[in-house]
Amino acid sequence: DAGSSVEEMEFNWDEYLEDTGATAAPHGSFKHVDTSLQNGFAPGMKLEVAVKSDQNTYWVATIITTCGQLLLLRYDGYGEDRKADFWCDIMTADLHPIGWCEQNKKILKVPEGIKDKIPDQEEFLQRVLKGACSAPANLLEGLHRGKNPLDLIAPGSRLELQNIRDSLEAWIVNVVENIGGRLKLRYEGLEDSDKFDQWIFYLDPFLHQVGWATHHGYSLQPPLAIRSLKSEAYWQEILKKVKEEEEESSVPTDLFKDKPVIGVHSFSEGMKLEAVDPMAPFIISPATVLKVYNEKYFMIEIDDLRPERATSQSYICHVNSAGIFPVQWSLKNGLHLSPPPGYPGQDFDWADYLKQCGAEAAPQSCFPLLTSDHGFKENMKLEAVNPVDPEEVCIATVTKLRDSYLWLQLEGSKKPVPDCIVSVESMNIFPVGWCETNGYQLRPPRKAIVNKQKKIAVVQPEKQILSSRTVHDGLKNQELNSSDSVVINGKYCCPKIYFNHRCFSGPYLNKGRIAELPQSVGPGNCVLVLKEVLTLLINAAYKPSRVLRELQLDEEAAWHGHGETLKAKYKGKSYRATVEVVRTADRVADFCRKTCIKLECCPNLFGPQMVLDKCSENCSVLTKTKYTHYYGKRKNKRIGRPPGGHSNLEVAMKKPNKRRKRRKHFFVHKKKRSSASVDNTPAGSPQGSGGEEEDDQDESELSHSLAQDRDKRKRKLRTFSFSDDENKPPSPKDIKMEVAEKLQLDSNPLEWSVADVVRFLKSTDCAPLARIFLDQEIDGQALLLLTLPTVQECMDLKLGPAIKLCHHIERVKLAFYQQFAN
């Protein structure tokens, strides 16, 4: 219809997932896609690299991680120290395989930074290079240097494809298109016709480099379906032409090193089994092993008892072929087994059928073990090839799971098809976003969820695609810092983002949920990686909508990044906001650090650096509440709540009347106190970051803050109105009477543990709130820093209970100053 093209253009996976309430299948479940993104280098490989400070000398380095044509390297000798890690661009850096210096009479010399750690260079090199794996020379030198192996399968490249109807035959195919490793192949000699084109993923076990058939003793001739279209002389001429042009059209042999290895089967002719026809994978039917070719291949045929049948549904299998099962597998899994056409009656019984055919069932040992450990779940969404029309990649929903098999409902296909049965290891399924990443049209659902009216309108700057050469010319010394970026095939590459679970999580993020986050996300496209990271953080918050508001783009601020719509759900309501993310890897580290500061957590909580043992911010001694309410981020104009749902989170979030002097340090550390200094240390004084003058200034600032808060609350008590008894606080008269009753403390609240705070609260009329203090790990220092705004915001309390709680906190503060602050 006329509007379909508009719907296709505007289909948005995020909108669709939200509106359907579904989740995307995890990226890690698509192993063939992960393999296709590898560049041939692997962590742990060693190579010889020019030393930055002295380009005439080289030293051995180890690959830490890879990202497109970038390598993150560490000179051998630094051990576990990550500070000196650096990114290198394979295309421009002075990189060589192990042994190159010796062959080319170049100098291997220990870099200055680790000279004192390596007294004997020769002994050190012998030790670290013993049994080491060198980076492949062909990936560092020559025409293939810096290229993703997958990109070497260019249009015009030639391969050999085994005939699925007769595996002992193969024929040459031409690559017409390469879509992220999914190849459109055309038989050699049929350049003028696309009728017999096939789509196959490059790791398919039936696809090989040119010369494979001859080398393994297989017949090289066109399939029967096309053989009669041309003369025998024509096909021989094609073979001669291919041989002459073999070098210029061939692909590297090691490109197929990650293909699944075909093992030895134990099937015999005549055995019965259950099977799914790969050409129409919608039903499970009885089948027969029709022919055994050799120890690797056999042919099965879908049973058909009709005497008038004209053709048979037969195809080649190997031991790991998908869609073959032992007899009774359907029954054991509660699935329907379709009787063979022509079978008398509706109730199929395997025992009777085997007796009737005089056949035996293939034993269980013939089949590979099936697993349910794959990450897929019912109702998950993914992208899948339509088996009826392989040109189409459709939105798919997992409707059923059995062992290693999925039942997929395809949406948006030109012709509706039944749920198709695919293996979890199928190379015809892809993660959400795969089509968009590879520039291929995804078939949207018939009634596409179209984002017709943006709630936050922003004008995005036009995406600028730079050439690799433009970036390379700007690189100095052919090296980049660990967060620098390079544009690879028009795509920005982001380093891996680590979640450092031991770091301080701040007042917004739930420590328990943070601990459940993955170790890392990426590497990959900057926008996609950072969007995933922020989504995980929002979902790990006490109040996701509050975190979303903190991250929301200030439309009045200068905008240098890329606007992404993020969503949050809280108490049954949906929130949505535009968040600015950076698009280049050189800005990722700064973006992560600034985002951490917005969320008042350790600046190292997430970012491109992994915290191994101890955080450089010493965040393990931080107080456990939102102690930075008045400094660090209240300068900017407050942004309203994210649209999409009502929220009361904005209560009591007014700015202080006077702008405070900015703190030099964002974190407030607990002081390591001696017995002589305990009583003189104010709550929240930063330690080890400045001199006495700064400590005195902070103490003065804290006292002023506490006094101002008390005055502010006294004014508020006279102006607030109440609509019900539940929200009604104690009257001012009652409060004055209670304040007059002095609280006598047995110990300094600065030294109170979380348990001490909980114990104190349980002795008051706010005992039901003790659980919140326990969950948020609020200790004595944190208690002394709580104010009415922070109590309402972080604990989600109504006004009455919040004021009652703050009254008890004020009593503790007053007692602290009278008993311990002299």
Side-chain angles (χ1 to χ4, degrees):
D1 64 289
S4 63
S5 61
V6 176
E7 289 185 345
E8 287 179 8
M9 287 170 57
E10 296 190 8
F11 174 76
N12 181 293
W13 259 119
D14 288 332
E15 300 280 342
Y16 184 70
L17 289 172
E18 182 184 16
D19 290 336
T20 57
T23 58
H27 278 247
S29 296
F30 303 87
K31 295 175 183 175
H32 61 297
V33 176
D34 282 345
T35 302
S36 71
L37 298 175
Q38 294 173 6
N39 63 1
F41 295 94
M45 286 181 176
K46 294 187 183 293
L47 60 168
E48 295 174 356
V49 189
V51 177
K52 189 173 183 179
S53 57
D54 184 358
Q55 289 293 310
N56 295 319
T57 65
Y58 296 79
W59 189 242
V60 176
T62 300
I63 297 175
I64 304 301
T65 191
T66 67
C67 182
Q69 66 191 51
L70 293 178
L71 303 178
L72 182 63
L73 303 177
R74 181 182 305 164
Y75 285 122
D76 281 15
Y78 275 97
E80 296 300 316
D81 187 355
R82 305 177 67 251
K83 291 178 183 175
D85 290 4
F86 58 96
W87 287 99
C88 273
D89 177 9
I90 304 165
M91 294 295 290
T92 58
D94 197 356
L95 308 174
H96 305 281
I98 295 298
W100 180 86
C101 284
E102 185 178 355
Q103 294 170 7
N104 292 273
K105 309 241 182 312
K106 297 291 182 180
I107 302 169
L108 274 173
K109 183 180 176 183
V110 183
E112 288 295 328
I114 50 175
K115 223 171 188 179
D116 57 336
K117 296 182 179 180
I118 305 174
D120 188 336
Q121 177 176 312
E122 293 302 320
E123 184 275 332
F124 176 81
L125 286 175
Q126 284 182 6
R127 179 162 45 86
V128 297
L129 294 179
K130 186 177 181 180
C133 176
S134 172
N138 66 310
L139 297 179
L140 294 170
E141 301 161 353
L143 294 175
H144 298 161
R145 179 179 181 178
K147 288 189 177 180
N148 185 322
L150 190 58
D151 296 334
L152 301 177
I153 313 179
S157 299
R158 289 191 178 108
L159 297 164
E160 288 181 4
L161 179 64
Q162 284 178 263
N163 185 354
I164 196 169
R165 301 297 180 191
D166 186 346
S167 73
L168 298 185
E169 292 181 356
W171 187 241
I172 302 102
V173 286
N174 258 300
V175 176
V176 180
E177 285 185 75
N178 178 356
I179 308 296
R182 189 167 183 256
L183 309 179
K184 185 177 184 180
L185 303 174
R186 183 168 297 166
Y187 285 118
E188 188 75 41
L190 296 183
E191 287 78 8
D192 55 346
S193 171
D194 62 359
K195 182 180 177 182
F196 297 95
D197 287 1
Q198 297 181 59
W199 282 94
I200 293 176
F201 202 75
Y202 83 105
L203 294 173
D204 191 287
F206 283 77
L207 193 63
H208 314 277
Q209 70 272 17
V210 171
W212 176 88
T214 304
H215 184 263
H216 289 84
Y218 289 78
S219 172
L220 191 61
Q221 56 182 326
L224 200 59
I226 68 169
R227 200 176 301 171
S228 60
L229 299 177
K230 308 283 183 179
S231 67
E232 184 63 30
Y234 176 83
W235 295 121
Q236 291 303 317
E237 193 63 33
I238 290 294
L239 282 176
K240 183 180 176 183
K241 174 189 169 188
V242 169
K243 194 168 185 180
E244 290 172 354
E245 300 174 357
E246 185 173 342
E247 281 193 22
E248 57 190 75
S249 65
S250 64
V251 297
T253 307
D254 62 352
L255 188 65
F256 300 100
K257 64 181 172 54
D258 296 314
K259 274 200 324 183
V261 177
I262 296 177
V264 176
H265 73 81
S266 54
F267 286 93
S268 302
E269 287 185 12
M271 282 182 174
K272 295 286 185 182
L273 65 157
E274 297 180 1
V276 176
D277 184 352
M279 303 303 174
F282 311 118
I283 60 172
I284 304 173
S285 308
T288 305
V289 178
L290 193 65
K291 187 176 182 180
V292 173
Y293 291 95
N294 52 30
E295 63 180 13
K296 287 190 174 182
Y297 301 106
F298 56 96
M299 176 182 281
I300 74 165
E301 180 182 47
I302 303 298
D303 287 0
D304 189 336
L305 305 180
R306 294 174 297 182
E308 71 278 7
R309 65 171 180 164
T311 58
S312 67
Q313 293 171 275
S314 58
Y315 54 94
I316 305 301
C317 287
H318 50 83
V319 68
N320 291 318
S321 286
I324 56 174
F325 314 100
V327 162
Q328 303 285 13
W329 186 82
S330 296
L331 182 65
K332 290 175 184 176
N333 285 277
L335 301 169
H336 175 68
L337 180 71
S338 296
Y343 180 81
Q346 293 298 315
D347 297 327
F348 180 81
D349 181 80
W350 261 116
D352 291 344
Y353 185 60
L354 288 171
K355 190 174 182 181
Q356 176 187 335
C357 298
E360 64 171 324
Q364 180 73 50
S365 59
C366 290
F367 301 88
L369 293 174
L370 301 180
T371 176
S372 56
D373 183 21
H374 43 64
F376 290 100
K377 295 179 181 177
E378 283 189 15
N379 297 319
M380 279 185 170
K381 302 283 183 180
L382 57 147
E383 298 175 4
V385 174
N386 183 350
V388 175
D389 183 1
E391 289 271 353
E392 285 187 357
V393 179
C394 304
I395 291 169
T397 306
V398 179
T399 58
K400 194 187 302 178
L401 282 158
R402 293 293 186 277
D403 292 332
S404 303
Y405 287 85
L406 311 173
W407 274 250
L408 298 180
Q409 181 185 57
L410 303 184
E411 302 175 43
S413 56
K414 293 174 185 174
K415 296 179 181 178
V417 295
D419 286 9
C420 50
I421 306 167
V422 300
S423 164
V424 294
E425 295 183 350
S426 168
M427 296 183 194
N428 283 328
I429 58 175
F430 304 95
V432 161
W434 183 87
C435 281
E436 182 182 4
T437 300
N438 291 284
Y440 195 76
Q441 178 62 56
L442 173 71
R443 291 291 302 175
R446 295 187 183 282
K447 295 180 180 178
I449 310 298
V450 183
N451 190 10
K452 294 179 180 176
Q453 184 176 1
K454 295 282 184 184
K455 297 189 177 180
I456 300 176
V458 293
V459 180
Q460 296 189 13
E462 185 178 353
K463 291 182 179 178
Q464 183 182 12
I465 303 300
L466 306 175
S467 69
S468 295
R469 179 52 51 196
T470 305
V471 178
H472 298 155
D473 291 344
L475 299 181
K476 295 180 180 179
N477 300 326
Q478 291 80 40
E479 290 189 357
L480 305 109
N481 292 328
S482 60
S483 61
D484 284 347
S485 67
V486 160
V487 183
I488 301 167
N489 297 332
K491 297 176 184 176
Y492 293 103
C493 193
C494 176
K496 190 177 287 187
I497 303 298
Y498 295 94
F499 288 106
N500 296 307
H501 301 123
R502 296 180 181 179
C503 288
F504 175 64
S505 57
Y508 298 133
L509 304 175
N510 185 312
K511 183 76 173 175
R513 292 178 191 162
I514 289 289
E516 294 171 359
L517 295 182
Q519 186 67 46
S520 62
V521 173
N525 178 285
C526 271
V527 172
L528 296 179
V529 169
L530 294 176
K531 184 177 180 181
E532 184 175 351
V533 167
L534 294 181
T535 300
L536 288 170
L537 289 172
I538 289 168
N539 293 335
Y542 289 109
K543 300 172 76 172
S545 55
R546 182 69 181 86
V547 169
L548 183 60
R549 193 182 73 188
E550 291 299 320
L551 300 175
Q552 183 177 350
L553 176 68
D554 184 350
E555 293 179 4
E556 295 178 8
W559 186 28
H560 305 292
H562 174 85
E564 278 292 325
T565 301
L566 296 183
K567 303 170 190 68
K569 288 188 177 180
Y570 182 63
K571 292 190 174 179
K573 295 171 185 172
S574 294
Y575 300 83
R576 182 179 303 155
T578 297
V579 174
E580 181 183 9
V581 295
V582 296
R583 295 186 293 175
T584 56
D586 58 323
R587 300 178 61 200
V588 166
D590 185 57
F591 171 83
C592 291
R593 191 172 182 88
K594 286 180 177 175
T595 303
C596 286
I597 290 174
K598 278 185 184 179
L599 300 180
E600 299 183 19
C601 55
C602 173
N604 292 330
L605 181 66
F606 65 93
Q609 299 294 328
M610 181 193 292
V611 173
L612 295 174
D613 296 316
K614 190 174 181 182
C615 174
S616 59
E617 300 287 343
N618 197 25
C619 66
S620 61
V621 297
L622 291 176
T623 55
K624 306 296 183 184
T625 191
K626 187 185 172 191
Y627 44 78
T628 51
H629 177 72
Y630 285 108
Y631 11 86
K633 62 177 200 168
R634 295 299 169 192
K635 283 199 322 189
N636 296 330
K637 182 178 178 182
R638 180 173 63 80
I639 302 170
R641 66 177 173 85
H646 177 72
S647 171
N648 65 350
L649 296 179
E650 287 74 29
V651 176
M653 285 295 290
K654 295 180 180 178
K655 284 186 181 179
N657 293 331
K658 295 181 181 179
R659 180 179 294 179
R660 261 175 227 298
K661 184 174 180 180
R662 193 170 187 179
R663 281 205 165 193
K664 293 182 182 178
H665 292 268
F666 181 78
F667 283 118
V668 183
H669 290 270
K670 294 179 184 176
K671 186 173 184 180
K672 294 180 180 178
R673 293 179 289 277
S674 65
S675 58
S677 64
V678 166
D679 294 346
N680 296 325
T681 307
S685 296
Q687 303 301 327
S689 57
E692 292 179 9
E693 182 179 342
E694 184 177 311
D695 286 352
D696 293 339
Q697 177 187 331
D698 285 343
E699 180 177 354
S700 171
E701 181 175 317
L702 178 64
S703 302
H704 177 65
S705 168
L706 295 172
Q708 190 179 55
D709 289 340
R710 281 196 296 273
D711 293 338
K712 189 184 295 182
R713 274 193 293 284
K714 286 178 182 176
R715 290 195 298 272
K716 284 187 178 182
L717 283 171
R718 291 191 291 271
T719 57
F720 283 140
S721 60
F722 307 99
S723 57
D724 53 46
D725 291 335
E726 182 185 2
N727 284 339
K728 188 173 181 180
S731 68
K733 182 178 179 182
D734 295 337
I735 290 178
K736 286 177 184 175
M737 286 175 63
E738 290 185 32
V739 170
E741 299 171 8
K742 285 187 179 181
L743 181 65
Q744 193 66 30
L745 299 178
D746 296 328
S747 60
N748 189 338
L750 278 176
E751 299 175 337
W752 284 4
S753 65
V754 176
D756 293 331
V757 171
V758 169
R759 197 174 298 114
F760 166 73
L761 282 172
K762 285 185 176 178
S763 69
T764 69
D765 56 356
C766 289
L769 303 179
R771 168 56 62 181
I772 301 176
F773 281 71
L774 184 62
D775 290 343
Q776 297 198 19
E777 299 181 47
I778 297 175
D779 59 9
Q781 275 199 19
L783 182 74
L784 292 176
L785 288 166
L786 288 178
T787 62
L788 181 61
T790 54
V791 164
Q792 278 194 281
E793 184 179 349
C794 297
M795 299 183 182
D796 197 21
L797 296 179
K798 293 185 178 180
L799 187 60
I803 292 177
K804 188 184 291 187
L805 174 62
C806 284
H807 158 62
H808 291 295
I809 295 171
E810 284 298 306
R811 296 175 67 207
V812 175
K813 290 177 183 177
L814 184 61
F816 163 70
Y817 281 107
Q818 289 177 341
Q819 292 179 239
F820 301 100
N822 293 326

